[in-house]
Amino acid sequence: MAMDVSDVKKKISYSAMQPTGLPHLGNYLGALKNWVSLQDEYRCIYCIANLHSITVRQDPVNLRKRTRDLFMLYLAMGIDPKRSLLYFQSAVPPHAELAWILNCYTYMGELGRMTQYKDKSQKHSDNINAGLFSYPVLMSADILLYSSDVVPIGEDQRQHLEICRDIASRFNNIYGDVFVVPEAYIGKIAARVMGLQEPEKKMSKSDGDNENNLVYLLDKPEVIISKFKRAVTDSGNEIKYAPDKPGISNLLSIYCAVTGEKPEAAESKFAGKGYGDFKLIVGETVAESVRPIQQKFNELSKNKDYVDALIRSNTEQTNALAQRMLTKVKKKVGFPIV
Ligand code: ATP
Ligand code: MG
């Protein structure tokens, strides 16, 4: 049985991830890890944002596989289908419908200021499509469809959440209180995990050209350890947080996010150690922490019927929920409900 959506007492937490690649440590520490604990306090809705993912060209066979793998990974991480909803965005048409409507309440100027749009247009200069530009509108539709109170995200998505809040308030000002204006939920540690080879840039799924830059949740333990051993460090030999030490600071953040240790405690623990030993310990700690997730993922991969049944029942429930809000919005803007 999936979650009882009629329970309105708990607040709603909503989040999504694109199946543009398998999740990496940034996705895990910046977002996914928080998703699991939020289930105690909130009704959680977790989307696999495959509509968003085609803003960058995808291979259809890979995309289909990664979409399903991500569903299983949510489960493996501890998203509990008895308490939370999880679904594919493409299987819930109200997302695209509401996005169209909200497009008409969003200004070109505000979308043009988005740094993700600027970054991705630069990276994919041969494919600067309209979807890439209106990405934050679809993201707003995702969030607003479910009257979400909080949205756990990494730091890079803060700007998109701001635009969502602006769109919701603008719509409410015209039509009355239709949408809940959501709050961002951004963790304190590892809200922005940087690449292991390029610690000045955030770790991103779609930047898979340099494999050693990203640590994937499903990388084998020995691969994880070897990627950490090769991580770029900084000049000097001290293990401490510092603006001129992006590599070491990133490794410390990763270590603290995984273990729950305070930054100062981690600094004193590693005081006097060499960079090589430090990188090895961080690598081993990360590898150990993802081991149970990998085990669960492998079990689920063998349990096709169970996963298929969950996908079906969750899709049905999510559609029912999304339709409610879409109908409300259609009435407000003056579309006949037939
Ligand atoms: P893409 O490169 O395709 O945009 P991505 O790695 O940015 O992929 P998304 O699916 O866009 O991942 O984002 C999913 C969630 O992970 C979001 O909440 C986002 O803020 C968070 N996130 C992404 N990268 C990082 C990172 N390096 N550190 C912390 N959180 C991150
Ligand atoms: Mg992203």
Side-chain angles (χ1 to χ4, degrees):
M1 215 200 72
M3 82 173 193
D4 176 8
V5 291
S6 63
D7 181 352
V8 289
K9 275 176 248 126
K10 274 191 171 176
K11 290 193 164 190
I12 307 280
S13 167
Y14 183 91
S15 210
M17 186 160 293
Q18 303 182 74
T20 38
L22 272 180
H24 50 73
L25 212 53
N27 301 136
Y28 176 52
L29 299 176
L32 291 166
K33 211 163 177 272
N34 295 331
W35 294 10
V36 177
S37 47
L38 282 165
Q39 294 181 112
D40 296 334
E41 208 183 320
Y42 293 90
R43 285 275 175 232
C44 295
I45 306 178
Y46 294 124
C47 167
I48 290 144
N50 52 353
L51 296 181
H52 277 104
S53 67
I54 59 164
T55 51
V56 172
R57 287 277 177 273
Q58 303 293 333
D59 170 68
V61 174
N62 279 342
L63 180 60
R64 196 170 298 119
K65 179 177 183 316
R66 283 196 306 252
T67 303
R68 192 186 163 88
D69 281 355
L70 196 50
F71 187 94
M72 292 192 290
L73 202 64
Y74 283 6
L75 294 171
M77 289 222 352
I79 304 300
D80 173 4
K82 292 200 178 67
R83 293 190 287 167
S84 304
L85 272 180
L86 51 169
Y87 69 98
F88 304 146
Q89 193 182 24
S90 61
V92 182
H95 284 258
E97 288 186 69
L98 182 61
W100 170 256
I101 296 174
L102 297 182
N103 261 314
C104 304
Y105 298 84
T106 309
Y107 299 116
M108 305 287 282
E110 52 192 350
L111 290 176
R113 284 194 290 275
M114 297 294 108
T115 51
Q116 174 176 290
Y117 170 67
K118 291 183 202 160
D119 287 353
K120 291 204 173 177
S121 324
Q122 223 171 30
K123 250 186 243 163
H124 308 278
S125 54
D126 54 336
N127 180 24
I128 308 177
N129 58 72
L132 198 57
F133 188 66
S134 64
Y135 182 112
V137 184
L138 178 59
M139 179 165 157
S140 301
D142 301 342
I143 296 166
L144 300 177
L145 264 181
Y146 304 97
S147 300
S148 315
D149 297 285
V150 295
V151 186
I153 42 173
E155 187 62 51
D156 64 310
Q157 291 296 326
R158 188 191 284 280
Q159 211 185 14
H160 288 170
L161 199 84
E162 277 308 314
I163 212 173
C164 169
R165 289 168 55 86
D166 290 344
I167 296 171
S169 305
R170 185 173 302 145
F171 197 93
N172 285 351
N173 278 336
I174 306 173
Y175 300 105
D177 276 345
V178 178
F179 296 129
V180 170
V181 181
E183 301 286 338
Y185 177 99
I186 300 179
K188 286 193 183 62
I189 291 175
R192 192 175 182 83
V193 174
M194 313 307 269
L196 293 193
Q197 296 297 318
E198 293 174 291
E200 315 72 35
K201 279 168 60 187
K202 95 167 184 83
M203 201 179 271
S204 270
K205 271 191 250 98
S206 46
D207 284 348
D209 306 348
N210 182 353
E211 281 286 304
N212 288 325
N213 198 37
L214 280 87
V215 174
Y216 294 104
L217 240 53
L218 294 179
D219 273 344
K220 292 201 167 64
E222 59 273 21
V223 173
I224 295 181
I225 293 169
S226 114
K227 285 182 176 177
F228 274 98
K229 276 192 194 159
R230 288 166 205 224
V232 165
T233 46
D234 317 292
S235 55
N237 54 12
E238 267 186 294
I239 297 173
K240 60 168 195 185
Y241 281 96
D244 63 341
K245 286 181 163 286
I248 294 296
S249 302
N250 188 37
L251 295 173
L252 275 169
S253 291
I254 292 173
Y255 181 80
C256 289
V258 169
T259 57
E261 254 173 55
K262 292 262 177 303
E264 310 75 47
E267 281 178 344
S268 30
K269 177 176 197 161
F270 292 115
K273 278 222 173 358
Y275 281 172
D277 288 346
F278 170 57
K279 291 197 284 186
L280 183 64
I281 293 174
V282 180
E284 285 172 347
T285 309
V286 170
E288 215 35 61
S289 77
V290 299
R291 198 186 287 277
I293 300 174
Q294 299 190 349
Q295 264 167 8
K296 189 86 212 295
F297 180 85
N298 292 336
E299 282 164 27
L300 287 162
S301 308
K302 292 179 203 135
N303 208 340
K304 185 172 180 306
D305 291 349
Y306 170 74
V307 174
D308 284 346
L310 265 185
I311 292 173
R312 270 196 303 274
S313 65
N314 277 258
T315 305
E316 214 172 285
Q317 282 202 62
T318 313
N319 265 299
L321 201 56
Q323 272 303 342
R324 268 199 245 166
M325 177 55 92
L326 184 65
T327 303
K328 189 170 169 185
V329 171
K330 282 180 170 173
K331 281 186 190 157
K332 291 283 183 190
V333 297
F335 296 162
I337 305 301
V338 288

Short mmCIF file of all heavy atoms in Angstrom, two decimals, residues 18 116 120 135 156-157 202 204-205, ligand 2:
data_model
loop_
_atom_site.label_atom_id
_atom_site.label_comp_id
_atom_site.label_asym_id
_atom_site.label_seq_id
_atom_site.Cartn_x
_atom_site.Cartn_y
_atom_site.Cartn_z
N GLN A 18 16.81 14.07 -11.83
CA GLN A 18 16.75 13.72 -13.25
C GLN A 18 17.49 12.41 -13.51
O GLN A 18 18.59 12.23 -12.98
CB GLN A 18 17.44 14.78 -14.08
CG GLN A 18 16.93 16.16 -13.93
CD GLN A 18 17.68 17.08 -14.87
OE1 GLN A 18 17.46 17.05 -16.06
NE2 GLN A 18 18.60 17.86 -14.33
N GLN A 116 21.69 28.13 -14.17
CA GLN A 116 21.72 26.80 -14.79
C GLN A 116 21.51 26.92 -16.30
O GLN A 116 22.16 26.24 -17.10
CB GLN A 116 20.64 25.88 -14.19
CG GLN A 116 20.58 24.54 -14.93
CD GLN A 116 19.59 23.56 -14.34
OE1 GLN A 116 19.80 23.03 -13.25
NE2 GLN A 116 18.51 23.29 -15.06
N LYS A 120 24.26 25.59 -18.81
CA LYS A 120 23.96 24.48 -19.71
C LYS A 120 23.94 24.93 -21.18
O LYS A 120 24.23 24.15 -22.07
CB LYS A 120 22.66 23.77 -19.30
CG LYS A 120 22.84 23.02 -17.98
CD LYS A 120 21.88 21.87 -17.75
CE LYS A 120 22.30 21.14 -16.48
NZ LYS A 120 21.43 20.05 -16.09
N TYR A 135 12.87 25.37 -18.19
CA TYR A 135 13.08 24.33 -17.17
C TYR A 135 12.51 24.75 -15.80
O TYR A 135 11.78 23.98 -15.15
CB TYR A 135 14.58 24.07 -17.10
CG TYR A 135 15.08 23.00 -16.17
CD1 TYR A 135 15.63 21.82 -16.66
CD2 TYR A 135 15.06 23.17 -14.78
CE1 TYR A 135 16.13 20.85 -15.81
CE2 TYR A 135 15.55 22.20 -13.93
CZ TYR A 135 16.10 21.05 -14.45
OH TYR A 135 16.58 20.09 -13.61
N ASP A 156 22.60 24.40 -5.63
CA ASP A 156 22.50 24.83 -7.04
C ASP A 156 21.06 25.09 -7.48
O ASP A 156 20.83 25.76 -8.48
CB ASP A 156 23.14 23.78 -7.96
CG ASP A 156 22.42 22.44 -7.91
OD1 ASP A 156 22.19 21.92 -6.80
OD2 ASP A 156 22.08 21.91 -8.98
N GLN A 157 20.09 24.55 -6.76
CA GLN A 157 18.69 24.72 -7.16
C GLN A 157 17.98 25.85 -6.43
O GLN A 157 16.79 26.07 -6.61
CB GLN A 157 17.91 23.40 -6.96
CG GLN A 157 18.32 22.29 -7.91
CD GLN A 157 18.03 22.64 -9.36
OE1 GLN A 157 17.05 23.32 -9.66
NE2 GLN A 157 18.88 22.19 -10.27
N LYS A 202 30.81 22.23 -9.31
CA LYS A 202 29.97 21.24 -8.64
C LYS A 202 30.00 19.90 -9.38
O LYS A 202 30.14 19.86 -10.60
CB LYS A 202 28.54 21.76 -8.50
CG LYS A 202 27.58 21.33 -9.57
CD LYS A 202 26.14 21.63 -9.17
CE LYS A 202 25.18 21.10 -10.22
NZ LYS A 202 24.86 19.69 -10.10
N SER A 204 28.42 17.05 -11.21
CA SER A 204 27.16 16.99 -11.97
C SER A 204 27.05 15.69 -12.75
O SER A 204 28.03 15.27 -13.37
CB SER A 204 27.12 18.12 -12.99
OG SER A 204 26.54 19.25 -12.45
N LYS A 205 25.86 15.12 -12.73
CA LYS A 205 25.63 13.87 -13.44
C LYS A 205 25.99 13.97 -14.91
O LYS A 205 26.51 13.05 -15.51
CB LYS A 205 24.14 13.51 -13.38
CG LYS A 205 23.75 12.69 -12.21
CD LYS A 205 22.34 12.19 -12.41
CE LYS A 205 21.39 12.86 -11.47
NZ LYS A 205 20.66 13.96 -12.02
MG MG B 2 21.19 19.62 -12.15
#
